[in-house]
Amino acid sequence: ARLVESGGGLVQPGGSLRLSCAASGFTFSGYYMSWVRQAPGKGLEWVSSIHTGAGSTYYVDSVKGRFTISKDNAKDTVYLQMNSLSTEDTAVYYCAAGRGVHVCSGVYCATDRDEYTYWGQGTQVTVSS
């Protein structure tokens, strides 16, 4: 099983990017699919999640209104549309998949790698003028 992220790159402040996470080797339905990022010199930060069955979505406060998570179950792919990017969004963005209430509870989802079953290799997003 694997998760493959794509779509990262260099963008100016205020710009947009769309990240993709293609899943393979496991049954896509029934998982929480998350985006977790790590800025230079900092720890992991959970960004957003979506349940591939129910479609429930979750966002960290700092990206609400700017980022949109979505899924295409026919393609086993999750997307993260990122608008109004700022330098503070610069990070490696990881895609992760996990099942169970310990992954997402209330309005927040897990950050730690140990909470997820699958973890991607990451894609770099750099916001700079």
Side-chain angles (χ1 to χ4, degrees):
R2 61 190 302 213
L3 299 173
V4 179
E5 303 97 331
S6 61
L10 174 64
V11 63
Q12 292 185 341
S16 298
L17 280 175
R18 189 177 82 153
L19 305 183
S20 299
C21 171
S24 62
F26 65 97
T27 302
F28 189 67
S29 181
Y31 276 81
Y32 289 102
M33 299 295 295
S34 297
W35 290 97
V36 179
R37 67 186 178 185
Q38 186 166 26
K42 296 187 177 181
L44 293 172
E45 177 188 33
W46 166 72
V47 176
S48 181
S49 300
I50 187 167
H51 192 270
T52 58
S56 320
T57 58
Y58 309 79
Y59 299 94
V60 68
D61 287 346
S62 61
V63 308
K64 285 180 181 177
R66 300 190 299 123
F67 291 10
T68 302
I69 192 169
S70 61
K71 62 183 179 70
D72 185 338
N73 285 41
K75 296 182 178 180
D76 289 354
T77 299
V78 173
Y79 306 97
L80 186 68
Q81 177 67 44
M82 305 186 296
N83 299 329
S84 301
L85 285 162
S86 73
T87 56
E88 294 185 352
D89 295 313
T90 294
V92 177
Y93 284 71
Y94 296 96
C95 178
R99 304 183 74 165
V101 296
H102 67 284
V103 179
C104 290
S105 180
V107 298
Y108 297 107
C109 298
T111 297
D112 293 341
R113 188 164 181 161
D114 290 346
E115 300 292 346
Y116 293 94
T117 305
Y118 306 112
W119 192 271
Q121 84 289 349
T123 186
Q124 176 70 48
V125 171
T126 302
V127 185
S128 174
S129 56

